[in-house]
Amino acid sequence: MTTIHPRRWTSIAVIVLVAGLLAACGGSPGPNSWSGLAVSGETAYLTSTDRIYAIDTNPETNHQQRLLWSYPPIGQNAAVTFHSEPFLTDDGILYTGSDSLSNRGAVFALDTTQTIEAGEPPDTSPTVNVEWAYPPDENALPLGSIFGGIAFDGDSVYAGANDGHIVSLNAASGQLNWVYTTTQRIWSTPVVTNATVYVTSQDHQLYALNAGNGSLKWQFVAGAVLAGTPTVYQDTVYAGSFDQKLYAVDAATGAKKWEFTAQGWLWDGPAVADDVLYFGDLSGRLYAVNTEGTAVWTQPLTLEGMIRAQPLIDGDRLYVVTSARKLYAINRTTQKIDWTFTTLQDGESLLTTPELAGDQLLVAPLPAGGSPVRLYALNTRSGNLAWQFPPPAPQ
């Protein structure tokens, strides 16, 4: 496994402090922190530090053989790092973004259907082919670091960058379709639906863009930084803000429908089930609010650590992660905590929404310094650890 340099890891407290100052100053670095995670069948695709990993999640697999491939291959020096949530198409193309200390980012399209066998040492893992990367050369429009995920609508992919650019790229070729530029950095994932791209920027604004040509349909101004990904549900866009408010905005017009005031800064938009919105704040409180803006729970549930990531809903259960290396399984009707998992390494944070893989729950930590752990797999019934990637070194 490659060496991970501690300077790459910024604590969540510093991230939050930096983000809170964004309205006043324009020269802060990116977050260089959370991992990206997507699951298809029995394969997890993980963007973490300097690699993209394809991991076999079958519980019967030998733990030493879970790595299917990595990009770049293990042993090859990586020029960039990856934290953007990947998107996998039905035909096996994986789209993700990269970042770097020099604030230069790129969008990659990887073909996961054909594995390239490992070469001679120092290459020690199979890899996959890069179908295209944008920008293709130094003459193309440059992009800042990409920390949010990639959106896909069948024909195009969409990404937001740390330099304020929102780009649409041809999904097959990587050719630039259009670019729209905001006045501040973007750390969120665009959401594309009904030929509209919704994206938040740290200039306090939620943008609705025409997916075909990038023209502005409307923009909504919040009271503070919008750092996280919005949620689109039925005819409403929901966005959390650092003014402690969840905004409900008409998806067609950009008019504000209502706002709900939390007790801490809000990052991502809510998860939604049965017309109830579930979201957490950076004070560690978890809320349930209906689509009319009225609290469903009498009191929010207070958890240990800051809640940055959107909860995962699985039937009557919520899975919620916090910066205090905690994962909570919560009954969303009773607010009862069914079980809690604490990661194994001091200093780890959980900043990425977990993913289900059958009866397993996958959670990707922000590694602590030189900690090698990239992924935990838990039994959903008990919360017990089933396996971790990479596995512990043999004793």
Side-chain angles (χ1 to χ4, degrees):
M1 183 60 66
T2 53
T3 301
I4 304 303
H5 300 287
R7 72 190 181 94
R8 292 294 293 145
W9 307 123
T10 307
S11 72
I12 185 63
V14 174
I15 294 169
V16 171
L17 177 60
V18 168
L21 296 175
L22 290 177
C25 62
S28 63
N32 295 344
S33 51
W34 50 79
S35 302
L37 181 62
V39 175
S40 177
E42 292 188 335
T43 304
Y45 298 93
L46 174 68
T47 55
S48 179
T49 66
D50 56 355
R51 294 289 186 274
I52 304 169
Y53 301 95
I55 302 166
D56 185 342
T57 67
N58 188 316
E60 303 301 320
T61 298
N62 184 303
H63 297 332
Q64 303 294 330
Q65 298 175 340
R66 291 197 176 278
L67 179 62
L68 300 174
W69 55 260
S70 73
Y71 176 80
I74 302 298
Q76 179 177 312
N77 183 49
V80 298
T81 49
F82 300 93
H83 302 98
S84 169
E85 180 182 351
F87 187 97
L88 183 73
T89 68
D90 291 340
D91 56 358
I93 302 300
L94 187 79
Y95 299 103
T96 194
S98 69
D99 64 276
S100 69
L101 290 173
S102 61
N103 195 30
R104 297 298 294 268
V107 178
F108 289 83
L110 306 180
D111 182 358
T112 69
T113 62
Q114 294 186 344
T115 302
I116 302 171
E117 292 303 316
E120 296 297 322
D123 291 347
T124 57
S125 69
T127 190
V128 290
N129 185 57
V130 179
E131 289 288 288
W132 55 258
Y134 183 90
D137 53 54
E138 61 183 15
N139 296 318
L141 173 77
L143 294 178
S145 290
I146 298 173
F147 301 115
I150 305 299
F152 172 76
D153 66 1
D155 296 314
S156 301
V157 294
Y158 306 87
N162 200 44
D163 58 4
H165 289 326
I166 305 163
V167 293
S168 168
L169 305 171
N170 181 284
S173 67
Q175 180 179 352
L176 180 66
N177 295 325
W178 53 258
V179 59
Y180 185 93
T181 305
T182 71
T183 61
Q184 267 291 354
R185 51 190 60 80
I186 297 170
W187 289 357
S188 61
T189 301
V191 178
V192 55
T193 182
N194 296 325
T196 303
V197 179
Y198 301 96
V199 65
T200 62
S201 171
Q202 292 175 15
D203 61 11
H204 303 197
Q205 299 192 62
L206 168 66
Y207 293 85
L209 307 176
N210 184 302
N213 59 24
S215 62
L216 179 67
K217 291 187 172 183
W218 54 256
Q219 59 198 91
F220 170 81
V221 182
V225 164
L226 298 172
T229 300
T231 298
V232 181
Y233 180 68
Q234 295 177 349
D235 60 354
T236 305
V237 186
Y238 300 95
S241 174
F242 281 13
D243 60 2
Q244 304 185 11
K245 293 182 179 183
L246 178 70
Y247 292 96
V249 179
D250 187 283
T253 67
K256 185 175 74 173
K257 293 185 174 183
W258 51 261
E259 61 186 48
F260 177 88
T261 301
Q263 298 180 53
W265 293 355
L266 299 177
W267 199 289
D268 271 348
V272 188
D274 304 321
D275 291 336
V276 178
L277 316 172
Y278 299 94
F279 56 97
D281 67 23
L282 298 188
S283 75
R285 291 175 174 85
L286 181 68
Y287 304 85
V289 175
N290 66 27
T291 52
E292 301 301 317
T294 302
V296 173
W297 293 345
T298 304
Q299 294 291 334
L301 184 63
T302 300
L303 306 178
E304 181 183 351
M306 293 176 272
I307 304 171
R308 189 205 77 88
Q310 185 182 93
L312 173 67
I313 300 174
D314 180 26
D316 290 332
R317 179 175 281 179
L318 298 172
Y319 294 109
V320 182
V321 296
T322 78
S323 63
R325 46 191 276 250
K326 301 283 188 183
L327 187 152
Y328 295 88
I330 301 165
N331 185 294
R332 63 187 180 97
T333 302
T334 66
Q335 294 180 262
K336 177 181 177 293
I337 297 174
D338 294 331
W339 51 258
T340 303
F341 172 78
T342 304
T343 67
L344 305 184
Q345 303 288 333
D346 288 339
E348 289 178 332
S349 292
L350 296 179
L351 308 176
T352 301
T353 300
E355 293 282 350
L356 288 167
D359 291 333
Q360 301 175 106
L361 185 69
L362 307 181
V363 59
L366 161 60
S371 167
V373 178
R374 299 288 176 265
L375 191 68
Y376 292 104
L378 311 178
N379 183 292
T380 56
R381 293 181 295 276
S382 65
N384 293 333
L385 178 67
W387 50 267
Q388 67 185 58
F389 173 82
Q395 297 297 317

